[in-house]
Amino acid sequence: MSAVATDRVEESINTLGSCRVCDSRDLEPAIDLGEQPWCNHFIRPTDAGSEPFYPLRVVFCTRCTTAQLDFTVKKEVLFGNHTYLSGITKTLNNHFAGVARTVHDTFMQGRTDKSVLDIGSNDGTQLQYYKALGFSVLGVESSKPTAKLANESGIETLHAFFNEGVARSLNRKFDVINASGVFFHLEELHSVTDGIRQCLKRDGVFVVQFLYMKQILKNLAFDQIYHEHLLYYNLETIQTLLGRHGLEMFDCHLSPIHGGSIIGFVTHAGSQPSSFRFDTMLFEERAARCNELVAYKQFQRDIQRKKQKELEFLRAERTAGRRVFGMGAPVKGNTLLNYFGIGTDLIECLAEKNALRKGLVSPGMHIPIVLEDELPEPPDTYYVLAWNFKDEILSKNQKLIDAGVTFYFPVETDTNESPRYRSNRLSRTCSSARVAQ
Ligand SMILES: [Zn+2]
């Protein structure tokens, strides 16, 4: 117990005293997911049981309405050696290609010597697509092995945590700055945002991609909440943050990536009028009241109900003698497994294709990870933790579906459909519907 307590002191920063965006001290408890290990900490079986646990709680700032974690695990622990690879799925590759093409065609026509800086550039996948369009590229990546991979594949990558100091040392400005899936991680939020303004040309575009809290609330995608995601933005809240640093979002669209992400286009404040679609989405956001505490309180009640329903489903599978494997070992899957309390009694293993996770077990629930192509035989049911890749998973596994394997998605991204659990139940009794909705 004392070893765990010591780890927590060394690896963590104390509970938040003021809002990460506006410094207000008026923070209200909003969502409580209990104590959890940090989700990217896939561990060796021999280390199971020694991983530290930290509070996983979202608080709501009543002044600027930003939802955020009130407990920070140090970034060196979270990102120094992570095993996430962005180039691993076709869906993400297509997405990155699309973003680069859109930015090029919309904002960069006629420019020569175009340059792009990618913050949190991972294995360089996004930059490969910019490079193919004639951009000079530079990545900044905090994970040493991942930065090494990028450099080996020909993408110049600096191994560092980007912040204002790194921006100053770069001493150059870029036509495009990209930050995909990292902007909510930032412990040094204001330093990073300042660095972005410094490195952005006067007529440059900062492309910010982030999980959209409005979609998380709508889809009950509570597993998107984990220690690496310190902040959960809506348009209104990210605009507040950008405004503090002389930046402004002027256009955006909703992408299906990761279950609903905003691709926002940002520039220096006052230099671009906002687009009609940006104004419309901002209006819809306010109409949906997702910048109000009441939406978060309701969310907490809904996910508690969801927990009971999901456990009933998995227990029924086991009672019926059906074998259940997890599909994918995504970081967010660990929030779901730990909050629901799903262990090897309900899910035998997690089928994963990232070879860096081979032979490890999931943090907290200790479910073994097996590489997808090394499974001796398929289960009766896949419980799909990587639910955000639904289309790709279904199309790649058509043969298994035809052979009778059920693919069950604990989170659905289209709430216009029938309620999730009801449609899952229907699929259990209808022999022609092998794909659980
Ligand atoms: Zn605030």
Side-chain angles (χ1 to χ4, degrees):
M1 187 60 207
S2 62
V4 171
T6 306
D7 284 346
R8 282 182 51 160
V9 171
E10 288 173 356
E11 296 171 358
S12 310
I13 292 171
N14 283 336
T15 305
L16 194 67
S18 61
C19 173
R20 297 174 192 275
V21 171
C22 78
D23 301 326
S24 165
R25 301 186 72 82
D26 297 327
L27 301 171
E28 289 286 334
I31 302 165
D32 190 346
L33 297 174
E35 295 253 329
Q36 298 224 9
W38 63 279
C39 294
N40 210 338
H41 190 200
F42 293 92
I43 49 181
R44 291 190 296 272
T46 48
D47 294 332
S50 64
E51 67 272 40
F53 281 62
Y54 310 96
L56 186 56
R57 292 187 299 249
V58 174
V59 294
F60 178 87
C61 173
T62 55
R63 186 160 89 183
C64 77
T65 79
T66 303
Q68 54 204 291
L69 295 192
D70 72 343
F71 191 89
T72 308
V73 184
K74 272 191 174 178
K75 64 183 186 310
E76 287 80 3
V77 176
L78 295 179
F79 301 115
N81 202 26
H82 68 71
T83 52
Y84 175 76
L85 294 176
S86 62
I88 210 160
T89 75
K90 190 161 168 270
T91 306
L92 273 178
N93 269 281
N94 290 343
H95 168 72
F96 287 138
V99 169
R101 170 59 65 187
T102 300
V103 171
H104 175 267
D105 292 354
T106 312
F107 304 112
M108 296 293 136
Q109 290 289 346
R111 290 198 198 191
T112 53
D113 302 326
K114 301 179 289 286
S115 56
V116 56
L117 169 70
D118 192 9
I119 298 166
S121 51
N122 201 266
D123 57 6
T125 307
Q126 175 72 86
L127 287 177
Q128 294 282 7
Y129 291 105
Y130 277 106
K131 194 175 177 184
L133 290 165
F135 285 77
S136 66
V137 303
L138 177 65
V140 181
E141 166 57 39
S142 61
S143 164
K144 196 170 182 181
T146 313
K148 185 165 174 277
L149 269 181
N151 278 309
E152 284 167 0
S153 68
I155 297 296
E156 187 188 348
T157 302
L158 193 63
H159 169 229
F161 286 98
F162 181 85
N163 59 20
E164 197 266 340
V166 172
R168 234 181 310 124
S169 71
L170 290 177
N171 194 29
R172 58 182 283 210
K173 291 184 187 292
F174 295 83
D175 294 277
V176 176
I177 299 178
N178 184 79
S180 82
V182 296
F183 213 54
F184 34 58
H185 296 310
L186 305 172
E187 193 183 306
E188 299 177 293
L189 187 63
H190 296 287
S191 172
V192 171
T193 317
D194 242 12
I196 288 167
R197 190 197 58 240
Q198 284 180 37
C199 285
L200 188 66
K201 283 185 180 175
R202 194 65 226 164
D203 59 354
V205 177
F206 167 42
V207 185
V208 58
Q209 306 184 41
F210 57 92
L211 295 173
Y212 193 19
M213 193 59 193
K214 179 170 181 268
Q215 290 298 113
I216 292 176
L217 292 171
K218 182 178 170 190
N219 298 328
L220 290 187
F222 74 94
D223 54 347
Q224 300 283 21
I225 299 170
Y226 47 87
H227 292 112
E228 296 178 14
H229 292 173
L230 295 175
L231 292 132
Y232 301 86
Y233 297 109
N234 284 316
L235 295 178
E236 189 161 302
T237 46
I238 201 156
Q239 197 69 304
T240 302
L241 169 67
L242 294 167
R244 289 193 69 174
H245 297 276
L247 295 167
E248 189 172 54
M249 191 179 292
F250 62 93
D251 188 24
C252 71
H253 64 91
L254 181 63
S255 156
I257 206 77
H258 298 313
S261 301
I262 290 288
I263 314 298
F265 303 108
V266 174
T267 192
H268 294 277
S271 53
Q272 279 268 12
S274 60
S275 70
F276 176 73
R277 66 178 177 177
F278 176 80
D279 292 342
T280 304
M281 285 180 72
L282 195 58
F283 175 81
E284 287 171 352
E285 187 177 288
R286 287 169 183 160
R289 303 183 67 185
C290 52
N291 291 317
E292 297 178 33
L293 182 58
V294 63
Y296 294 83
K297 297 279 190 189
Q298 184 60 45
F299 183 84
Q300 174 84 59
R301 288 191 290 272
D302 289 345
I303 61 173
Q304 279 165 344
R305 273 195 289 272
K306 184 180 179 65
K307 173 180 179 174
Q308 297 311 317
K309 290 176 179 175
E310 294 295 311
L311 289 175
E312 278 171 27
F313 167 72
L314 288 168
R315 285 173 188 144
E317 289 287 279
R318 298 302 282 171
T319 305
R322 293 169 61 83
R323 302 182 72 187
V324 182
F325 295 174
M327 169 63 79
V331 174
K332 65 177 176 303
N334 291 320
T335 293
L336 186 146
L337 295 171
N338 282 292
Y339 180 67
F340 286 169
I342 296 171
T344 48
D345 54 328
L346 294 173
I347 291 182
E348 287 180 44
C349 66
L350 306 176
E352 164 71 16
K353 50 186 175 180
N354 181 345
L356 294 175
R357 293 178 184 159
K358 179 181 177 177
L360 301 177
V361 301
S362 70
M365 300 314 294
H366 307 151
I367 302 178
I369 295 171
V370 181
L371 289 190
E372 212 176 306
D373 52 13
E374 293 180 1
L375 285 172
E377 57 183 0
D380 299 295
T381 295
Y382 270 118
Y383 191 80
V384 185
L385 296 169
W387 50 263
N388 49 313
F389 296 112
K390 181 177 180 179
D391 292 346
E392 182 174 341
I393 286 169
L394 291 183
S395 69
K396 280 178 65 177
N397 290 288
Q398 194 54 53
K399 279 188 184 161
L400 288 181
I401 294 165
D402 292 343
V405 176
T406 296
F407 283 72
Y408 180 101
F409 293 83
V411 175
E412 280 290 341
T413 54
D414 186 355
T415 48
N416 293 325
E417 292 175 6
S418 304
R420 281 170 289 275
Y421 189 61
R422 186 178 304 158
S423 54
N424 278 328
R425 297 282 292 190
L426 283 175
S427 79
R428 316 294 321 129
T429 56
C430 176
S431 61
S432 64
R434 302 303 305 177
V435 179
Q437 295 297 310

